[in-house]
Amino acid sequence: MAENNKRRQSQKDEESGWKFWLQTIALTIAIYAVFFLGFKFVLSNDRVSGPSMQPTFENGDKVIATRHSKLSRGDVIVLKAPDEANTFYIKRIIGLPGDTVVSKNNKIYINGKLYKEDFLDAGKKVKEPDTSLYAGKPYSYTYNFTLSYLAKNSPEWQQRYSSSYLNKVKKTNKVPAGTYFVMGDHRTVSKDSRIIGFIDKKSVIGEVKWRYWPLTRWTVF
């Protein structure tokens, strides 16, 4: 009788052990599935490469971006590079669809009104080295341009767009429907819409919300 009780207890313990491990494995799979689906459809984990967003973001910073955000002027986004396959850029939205964009005397005007770029304040304090094309200029320095001027004079735009597309931009000086005009905060070196043209909405991966690395620069945007 005692032997039977011991056997039953042993069987129960064994079943309990198996249940524990099965539950642990199932929970682990569920957690991984949530993370996988989350980063596939909701979030994007990205690493900053290059100096184009200095000093806001430095080379090597790691960020989390949210997909499908409602984007506004001034938002920082991760996007598919229109000029390089399998490459991603991090830039800031300056012009929304339908906006006119003018840079004059190191200031940006959107739809005829001065656009206050407080996010450039840190860059105004950092100067380019003597070896730079813009020696002594702050990182925030922005040369004069209009969208009409770029449509007429940019070699890269000439290669990328049709004549009819460029003619419309020349005439209106507006960001075309379904696109954004983006720039880097390190204006003197950034390869942005001034060179690569307008960014299609479908090319936007997500809006940067969190820098989690390095820990000393941990920031929520």
Side-chain angles (χ1 to χ4, degrees), residues 4 10 12-13 34 36 56 71 77-78 86 95 102 130 133 139 144 151 168 182 185 201 205 218:
N4 288 337
S10 178
K12 288 181 179 179
D13 291 343
V34 168
F36 174 78
T56 310
L71 299 176
I77 59 173
V78 175
N86 302 315
V102 174
D130 293 339
L133 176 65
Y139 281 10
N144 292 348
K168 186 174 182 179
V182 302
D185 289 358
K201 285 185 176 180
I205 300 298
W218 193 95

Side-chain angles (χ1 to χ4, degrees), residues 147-176:
L147 302 184
S148 299
Y149 175 86
L150 294 174
K152 183 178 180 180
N153 296 283
S154 170
E156 291 83 3
W157 285 33
Q158 303 294 328
Q159 294 175 9
R160 183 178 178 191
Y161 299 119
S162 66
S163 296
S164 59
Y165 190 97
L166 291 172
N167 285 335
K168 186 174 182 179
V169 177
K170 290 178 193 176
K171 183 178 180 180
T172 63
N173 191 46
K174 290 184 177 181
V175 179

Side-chain angles (χ1 to χ4, degrees), residues 25-215:
I25 292 170
L27 180 60
T28 301
I29 292 173
I31 291 173
Y32 273 103
V34 168
F35 271 93
F36 174 78
L37 294 173
F39 278 99
K40 184 174 178 62
F41 298 107
V42 181
L43 304 173
S44 176
N45 183 25
D46 301 284
R47 180 179 180 275
V48 176
S49 178
S52 72
M53 282 296 291
Q54 290 177 326
T56 310
F57 296 93
E58 296 290 344
N59 184 52
D61 285 1
K62 294 182 180 180
V63 300
I64 297 294
T66 55
R67 303 177 188 271
H68 315 298
S69 295
K70 183 178 180 181
L71 299 176
S72 303
R73 190 180 299 110
D75 289 344
V76 176
I77 59 173
V78 175
L79 58 101
K80 296 178 183 177
D83 58 334
E84 292 187 46
N86 302 315
T87 301
F88 300 92
Y89 292 157
I90 178 171
K91 305 293 179 185
R92 190 183 297 275
I93 294 176
I94 299 299
L96 298 171
D99 282 348
T100 63
V101 181
V102 174
S103 175
K104 186 177 181 181
N105 298 328
N106 200 29
K107 295 179 181 180
I108 296 290
Y109 296 85
I110 305 293
N111 302 322
K113 297 181 179 180
L114 177 65
Y115 177 43
K116 294 183 179 180
E117 300 179 284
D118 295 339
F119 46 81
L120 294 181
D121 287 349
K124 293 176 182 178
K125 302 173 184 177
V126 188
K127 306 294 183 181
E128 293 292 346
D130 293 339
T131 55
S132 168
L133 176 65
Y134 295 100
K137 297 286 188 183
Y139 281 10
S140 61
Y141 174 75
T142 310
Y143 58 75
N144 292 348
F145 70 85
T146 65
L147 302 184
S148 299
Y149 175 86
L150 294 174
K152 183 178 180 180
N153 296 283
S154 170
E156 291 83 3
W157 285 33
Q158 303 294 328
Q159 294 175 9
R160 183 178 178 191
Y161 299 119
S162 66
S163 296
S164 59
Y165 190 97
L166 291 172
N167 285 335
K168 186 174 182 179
V169 177
K170 290 178 193 176
K171 183 178 180 180
T172 63
N173 191 46
K174 290 184 177 181
V175 179
T179 69
Y180 299 107
F181 186 88
V182 302
M183 298 176 72
D185 289 358
H186 192 167
R187 295 282 171 80
T188 52
V189 302
S190 178
K191 185 181 182 184
D192 50 39
S193 284
R194 293 171 292 177
I195 298 172
I196 60 177
F198 304 106
I199 302 304
D200 193 287
K201 285 185 176 180
K202 296 178 181 178
S203 297
V204 177
I205 300 298
E207 179 190 356
V208 175
K209 290 292 189 179
W210 178 33
R211 172 174 46 223
Y212 67 91
W213 189 264
L215 294 178

